[in-house]
Every structure is written in structure tokens, then in C-alpha cells.
Amino acid sequence: MRRARGARGRGGGGRRLMDIRLLEAAPTSEERGAVDACLGPPRSAWDGGARGSMRDRHVAHGGQSMRDRRHRLLPALQALQARVGWISEGGLAYVCERLDVPPADAWGVATFYALLSTTPRAKRVLHVCDDIACKCRGADALIEELERKAGPAHAHAPDADHVRLADDASVWVRSPCLGMCEHGPAALLQQGGLAPSEHQVAALTVDAALEMLAGGTDQVPSVPAAVPRCIGEPRLLERVGKVDPTSFAAYQESGGFVALEKALALGAERVIADVIASGLTGRGGAAFPTGRKWDAVSKQTVKPHYLICNADESEPGTFKDRVLMEQDPFAVIESMTIAGFATGCERGFIYIRGEYPLATERLQYAIDSSRAKGMLGARVMGSGVRFDIEIRRGAGAYICGEETAIFNSIEGFRGEPRNKPPFPAESGLFGCPTVVNNVETLANVPAIVLSGGEAFAKVGGGQSTGTKLFCVSGNVRFPGVVEVPFGTTLREVLDLCGGVAGGRKLQAVLLGGAAGVFVRGDELDLPLTLEGARAANATLGSGVVIAFDDRVDMRAVVLRIAAFFRDESCGQCVPCRVGTVRQEEALHRIAAGRTIGGVRSELALLDEVGVSMKDASICGLGQTAYSAVESAIKRLGLYEDV
Ligand SMILES: Cc1cc2nc3c(=O)[nH]c(=O)nc-3n(C[C@H](O)[C@H](O)[C@H](O)COP(=O)(O)O)c2cc1C
Ligand code: SF4
């Protein structure tokens, strides 16, 4: 269930819970400065300003105007975390005063996100990935050595007396997938302070980790540029590695913003008609037809409409959206502007996972320079169209990629999914009609506008039109993002990445991510289409392809997946909250040879729990939490000889 990272496997002993009666807790000047830098200075005594002004005694503030600021809660908490390294009672109390949010409510939000620490923690934190793709690249051995040399990972709720909070103090924590699977073992270094900084770390070594913990970064391997691999003409990766992602001029020279100009000339209805004709389906996992979604939102009479680009990308093994955002950020801005225009949105949000600092920086630069050049703002390209984009960073919660959880997260609540209906097209962000699209989905839009929907649909076929990005990692020679036409086989995708590294034998492939399924080495002729995957009782999910060679301990991989779901369940509904725990427990009992009633009875229990989660959970997390485990049991036969 949602709680800060580092909590795994730790008993409740010694755990300190914050008292949520915060009236006496006062912020330090550092905390006050961090919050004011985020929210602006207080406007009155009612929101944290100095008392005694005559005006404040006669003018009441609050009500709607304060409620309208609730959406600043997560950014304010993130500002505290970035400046001080953790969120103290005083800091939280000040945020509550500034935004008029009840402390218990704000506490519930702060404790929801793994990147926010509500217990004392050093300002320098090294997040080391121990997830499945990095396991294939030596993460377990690296972590063991790091534990020996640097001591154990920082615990979630340590005894405060033993936490060093000096400016040069540092800690390391275990992390679920950081979305850097092609560069594993991966890490993320966060340095808090007045000028906070973040570094994504590729091919982590113990020496580099120790250096970072000691305060240096000289030996930290920089992240190599992406090397895209394609079958056929690339549409989405066309500029990756070729066009400077930090230059507006370079983007324009490479054909950027021509599609936006054409879309404005064609008109919204025609753009939507083309997207419908293209057959484009969502690339975020659910494969819903994009044109239908856009059409539904555009027809809503309730205003305003909102657009959200879902860049949360926290499914283990997924990193395609990061590559697009880091390497072609202007294309994301152009695509969103076309989508906003077509669906009648004047405001768009990019909800990006907190572990993607480079992508965030590049997108922010692309937004600022596009606005300065008139591509965003009150008159997009000199037309009468208004559209602008704001970035919101997640804070370490996989569930916040679920479209309705994003609404709650942006609005300043715990990122818990909402019941559907109402669907987002009718009632989404701030209760208004909202389009939510994945980064890759949106990235297809300029090509559709430029060449027309029917031309787009000529690649691939059936319900699977266009090209698809796959995130290939694990034991392949050249891990990375590939772009292939729908219909390419799994074997061809693996071959494109050089096949299994070191001439080893392929044991299994995880297709579609933690919410996907394992397939066997003799199933590689599977055509990668929505229909092909469905017929094979599999899913393409978010485009994950993790290859495991014959040395990998697959039961450890399955256990890691089960731990991931247990950790990431928001805990809102019983089948998922309890089921993900029971599932992990049963797998642990099998692994330890301490089964209750034998392995067959544990497998029967797993099936019963899995079916309950599938049938009775309210969102996709619970509904898919058994998928990979089930396929490991039934498809790989992983527990047959236990
Ligand atoms: C637990 C969970 C996590 C999700 N994470 C993401 C994500 O990180 N990115 C994404 O685009 N969609 C994610 N989705 C799917 C979204 O709910 C939604 O279907 C998608 O953003 C719609 O965009 P699309 O139609 O362009 O795919 C997730 C769904 C679930 C249930
Ligand atoms: S299925 Fe229920 S408990 Fe699980 S993540 Fe979704 S809403 Fe939360």
C-alpha cells in the first residue's frame, strides 16, 4: 500500500507517526522561504502573512478563492522536500496555513507519495533501482555490495535521533523502476537545498554510488544518447538523435510546427475526422480509439475543457515516453497544441513522473520558447486560438498514471483513482470534460494531420494502425527503444536489439510490463498487434519487452513484481489492498518452502485471490496485479517442480 520508499520489509517497531495537531509546529525560515517561493508571498494574515493589518480585520479571505488554490498543495510539498530534504511538522503546518487545507488532509497527501519523506532524511538521496530490468543487469549484486560498503538503505521511519541532517549528509534508498531500463543498473541522485539538483545515473557502479554518497559526481557515468532502432520508416523517432532537442530553430527547420499550422487551417472537426480515420489507439495501455475520445470531449457543452498529456510512465520496464520527451520535446508541445485546438481545450497539463528531471527540464524549455515564439498563448500562431501548457510533476506513485488518479493528484488530493462513470470526457479534471492521452499517442498526431488519417492507417492494419514503440530491455545485446510497424513479430523486435546477449538461451519475455504477461521462448512468432496479443492471451500494454536469459531467477522476478503491486496499490478498495498483500505472502511462502498445505494449495489460493482482484478492483492496477504472476504459473510452469 502507498507509503514512502524504503518501507519495504520493515516491521512497525520504532515507527514514529507525526501528530497531526500542528497548531504549535512552526516552520523554519528555510521552510517558509521554500513554500513562499512556490506559492508567492502571503497575501494577508489569513494565509500566513503578518497579523495586525486593518484591512484583514474587515475583509474575510477564504472560501472559494482558497479552495481554488488547493491544486498548489503537491507543488508546495515538493518545494519543501526539494529545499529541506523532508517535510517536517512545521513545514507542513505552514503549507496548510497558506492553502487553508486541514492538516490531516495534507498529511494524507504528503504520505501518499514515495518521493516525499515525512520523517527526517538527509538532503542528498541516491535512489537505486532494484526492479526487474535492472536485476537482469546486475542490480542485486550491486546493492549487496553497496549494503556492505555504505550500510543499509535508509529506512522509511527511522529513529529521528540517528538521522544525520547536516548539509553534507546523504542516504541511499531502494527504488522501483526508474524508467532508465536500457541503461541499467540505474539510479537517480537528488540533492536538496537552495539550488536543488537531480541527476539520472546510467550503468551505476558501487564506486560511483559511494562517490555520490560522499558528495561528488566526477565519476558518475553520464546518460548516453538514445540510439533508436527501427524497422521501416520511423515516424516517432525520426528526430531522435538527429535534431537538437534544445533548439526551437532546429525543430522548426526539421519540419516542426508545420502540422500545427495545417491543423489550424483545416479546422477542429476535420482534424478529429482524420484522427478517427487513422484508427489511432491509445498507447498508454488501454488502447482506446483516440479519435472517439477527442470527438466526445469536443462535443461537451460544459466549459472549460482540459487536456492532460500522461507522462507518468511508471510501469516497470517502460521508458519510451522518456526518450520522446528528452529527445523530441517540441514535438510533444506541438502535438498537445493540435489536440487542445481540436478538442476545445485552452489549457493543457503535462503530468510527468518525478523521476524524469531531464525530460522535465527539456519540456519546460520547449514550452517557454514555444510561448515566446507565439506557438502557445493567447493567439497560437497568430490565430484566434488560445492554448497553453503547464507541467505538473508526480512524486513517486505508479497509480498516478491512471487517468482519474491524475485528476486527484493535480487537484491536490491523494492520487486515488475515481469510480467510472462519469468518464473523463464528461467529468474529469476539476469536474470538467478532459482528454487524457499518453505521450506516444499524442506524438502520432502531427503525422496524421500532415499525411491524412487514411495514409496513416496504411501502416499496420485492423485495429492496430501505425507504428509502435517498444521498450526493449533485460538480457538483450542492445537495449533501447525501437519503432516498428504493428504486426512485427516479437522475434523480429528482439533481433533488432541484437538478440539475447552473450549467446545465452532465452528463458522468457515479459510483454506489456508488470501488468502484462510472460511469454515463453517458443512463442516469439507472436505478431505484435492488439489483435495478435489478445488472441495469444497476452497484452502489449505500454510496450514493454523484457528478455530474461537462462541465468535469471524467474521466481525472484515474480516476487519483485508482486512486491511492486503491494507497494503501489493505493489501498482504496479491499480486493486490491488485501489481495496484493496475500499474493506476495503466498509467493514468499513458496519461495521459502514454508507452504500452507503444499504448493498446489498455495497456487489455488493465488488463483482465487487473483480472480477476486481482477473481478472486483475498481481500477486497472488491481485488475492486472495477478496477470504476470498467473502467466508465470500457467504459461511458464514456474512452480511445477517445486
Ligand atoms: C495503474 C495504472 C497506471 C497507468 N499509468 C499510465 C502511464 O504512466 N501513462 C499512460 O499514458 N497511461 C497510463 N495508464 C493508462 C491511463 O489510465 C489512460 O488509459 C491513458 O493515459 C489514456 O491515454 P491513451 O488513450 O493515449 O493511451 C495507467 C493505467 C493504470 C490502471
Ligand atoms: S484497484 Fe483499488 S486499491 Fe488498487 S490501486 Fe486501484 S483503486 Fe487503489
Side-chain angles (χ1 to χ4, degrees):
M1 219 174 71
R2 302 290 323 145
R3 55 188 169 171
R5 278 176 202 162
R8 216 168 13 248
R10 194 168 186 276
R15 185 161 176 209
R16 274 187 26 168
L17 283 180
M18 189 186 283
D19 183 345
I20 53 175
R21 285 167 295 149
L22 299 174
L23 287 178
E24 279 142 42
T28 62
S29 58
E30 197 183 22
E31 289 166 337
R32 191 181 281 275
V35 175
D36 289 350
C38 173
L39 300 177
R43 293 172 301 180
S44 69
W46 294 81
D47 75 337
R51 297 186 189 271
S53 147
M54 190 59 98
R55 191 169 176 273
D56 287 350
R57 274 189 234 153
H58 295 287
V59 182
H61 297 253
Q64 188 64 38
S65 76
M66 287 305 270
R67 280 197 295 279
D68 283 351
R69 304 183 73 212
R70 167 81 192 226
H71 69 103
R72 303 298 305 162
L73 178 59
L74 182 54
L77 295 174
Q78 287 168 320
L80 268 179
Q81 175 75 41
R83 176 76 69 89
V84 189
W86 69 289
I87 296 165
S88 72
E89 292 182 13
L92 187 70
Y94 186 56
V95 171
C96 292
E97 191 180 1
R98 291 293 322 271
L99 295 175
D100 199 24
V101 175
D105 206 345
W107 166 250
V109 173
T111 51
F112 188 81
Y113 295 97
L115 289 180
L116 303 180
S117 176
T118 48
T119 54
R121 196 167 79 178
K123 284 183 182 159
R124 194 175 183 86
V125 182
L126 183 66
H127 302 260
V128 180
C129 179
D130 68 356
D131 219 316
I132 44 181
C134 282
K135 269 181 188 294
C136 296
R137 301 178 76 83
D140 287 343
L142 182 141
I143 286 174
E144 253 177 53
E145 199 181 335
L146 190 60
E147 278 170 341
R148 273 200 308 277
K149 294 189 169 159
H154 178 78
H156 162 53
D159 185 338
D161 297 342
H162 296 284
V163 178
R164 230 166 59 81
L165 294 176
D167 274 349
D168 64 343
S170 61
V171 292
W172 72 277
V173 294
R174 285 171 175 260
S175 170
C177 181
L178 290 165
M180 299 255 297
C181 318
E182 80 275 43
H183 301 303
L188 172 72
L189 178 66
Q190 292 186 309
Q191 173 68 62
L194 198 53
S197 61
E198 292 163 289
H199 298 280
Q200 286 155 291
V201 184
L204 181 72
T205 61
V206 173
D207 286 345
L210 293 174
E211 188 193 346
M212 285 184 275
L213 291 172
T217 45
D218 288 353
Q219 301 299 314
V220 177
S222 56
V223 177
V227 182
R229 291 169 197 277
C230 309
I231 293 178
E233 278 296 298
R235 284 174 169 175
L236 300 161
L237 300 180
E238 200 184 354
R239 293 190 189 84
V240 171
K242 295 194 192 113
V243 177
D244 180 358
T246 63
S247 163
F248 180 90
Y251 181 68
Q252 224 175 6
E253 274 161 31
S254 69
F257 293 111
V258 175
L260 175 59
E261 194 175 11
K262 184 173 175 195
L264 294 170
L266 287 175
E269 272 181 32
R270 176 66 202 280
V271 171
I272 292 180
D274 262 332
V275 175
I276 291 175
S278 74
L280 177 67
T281 50
R283 308 300 201 229
F288 190 83
T290 307
R292 267 176 53 200
K293 196 185 279 190
W294 287 21
D295 190 43
V297 173
S298 73
K299 288 184 174 144
Q300 296 293 323
T301 49
V302 172
K303 295 279 162 68
H305 298 177
Y306 290 108
L307 169 71
I308 294 176
C309 170
N310 189 346
D312 196 48
E313 196 166 66
S314 307
E315 176 82 33
T318 318
F319 50 90
K320 64 188 176 64
D321 296 342
R322 174 179 58 75
V323 170
L324 288 176
M325 294 185 288
E326 286 179 356
Q327 305 293 329
D328 201 4
F330 286 95
V332 178
I333 306 309
E334 181 178 6
S335 309
M336 284 184 70
T337 312
I338 297 172
F341 162 63
T343 55
C345 304
E346 293 190 345
R347 207 164 157 204
F349 290 88
I350 301 176
Y351 188 92
I352 185 166
R353 73 176 295 194
E355 293 88 342
Y356 281 177
L358 180 62
T360 306
E361 184 188 313
R362 293 210 167 145
L363 284 170
Q364 190 59 60
Y365 177 77
I367 291 170
D368 294 342
S369 42
S370 299
R371 194 185 294 123
K373 299 281 184 188
M375 305 298 172
L376 289 174
R379 290 172 54 77
V380 170
M381 289 188 114
S383 70
V385 173
R386 175 190 288 268
F387 185 70
D388 217 327
I389 300 174
E390 190 181 323
I391 295 180
R392 289 302 177 96
R393 293 188 79 178
Y398 164 61
I399 191 57
C400 284
E402 198 280 338
E403 56 189 2
T404 61
I406 298 184
F407 306 150
N408 280 341
S409 181
I410 293 180
E411 289 178 22
F413 297 92
R414 287 165 68 85
E416 290 166 349
R418 299 176 183 172
N419 270 312
K420 291 187 262 190
F423 291 97
E426 213 179 289
S427 174
L429 187 64
F430 303 118
C432 295
T434 305
V435 188
V436 183
N437 272 136
N438 169 260
V439 177
E440 182 191 346
T441 313
L442 289 166
N444 280 289
V445 169
I448 294 172
V449 171
L450 287 175
S451 54
E454 274 151 30
F456 180 93
K458 285 195 177 128
V459 173
Q463 292 165 4
S464 314
T465 58
T467 59
K468 177 80 195 91
L469 298 182
F470 287 97
C471 317
V472 187
S473 66
N475 303 121
V476 289
R477 278 182 72 201
F478 308 116
V481 173
V482 302
E483 180 175 1
V484 297
F486 267 116
T488 304
T489 64
L490 183 53
R491 184 186 307 282
E492 287 167 323
V493 164
L494 291 174
D495 287 349
L496 194 59
C497 294
V500 181
R504 308 288 312 190
K505 194 164 170 276
L506 183 71
Q507 189 177 179
V509 175
L510 181 62
L511 188 59
V517 299
F518 289 102
V519 297
R520 294 183 309 270
D522 62 2
E523 295 181 289
L524 298 189
D525 292 320
L526 177 75
L528 298 174
T529 56
L530 300 174
E531 299 89 332
R534 214 175 294 131
N537 205 11
T539 170
L540 301 186
S542 52
V544 170
V545 174
I546 306 181
F548 302 96
D549 73 20
D550 50 357
R551 291 168 305 180
V552 176
D553 177 354
M554 292 305 295
R555 289 185 198 145
V557 169
V558 174
L559 263 175
R560 183 65 189 87
I561 291 174
F564 173 78
F565 280 111
R566 185 256 300 136
D567 247 4
E568 300 296 336
S569 164
C570 82
Q572 194 183 190
C573 54
V574 177
C576 171
R577 182 179 68 229
V578 179
T580 51
V581 176
R582 294 288 169 264
Q583 172 169 276
E584 192 195 8
E585 285 171 353
L587 288 166
H588 268 301
R589 285 196 298 270
I590 297 176
R594 286 202 299 267
T595 58
I596 300 175
V599 174
R600 285 172 75 96
S601 125
E602 295 285 19
L603 295 182
L605 174 71
L606 278 167
D607 209 46
E608 201 178 317
V609 169
V611 170
S612 309
M613 289 197 284
K614 213 181 281 182
D615 289 349
S617 297
I618 72 168
C619 90
L621 188 147
Q623 289 157 10
T624 57
Y626 180 51
S627 302
V629 178
E630 182 178 26
S631 65
I633 297 168
K634 297 179 184 170
R635 207 163 185 141
L636 302 186
L638 205 58
Y639 301 93
E640 270 165 18
D641 59 343
V642 186

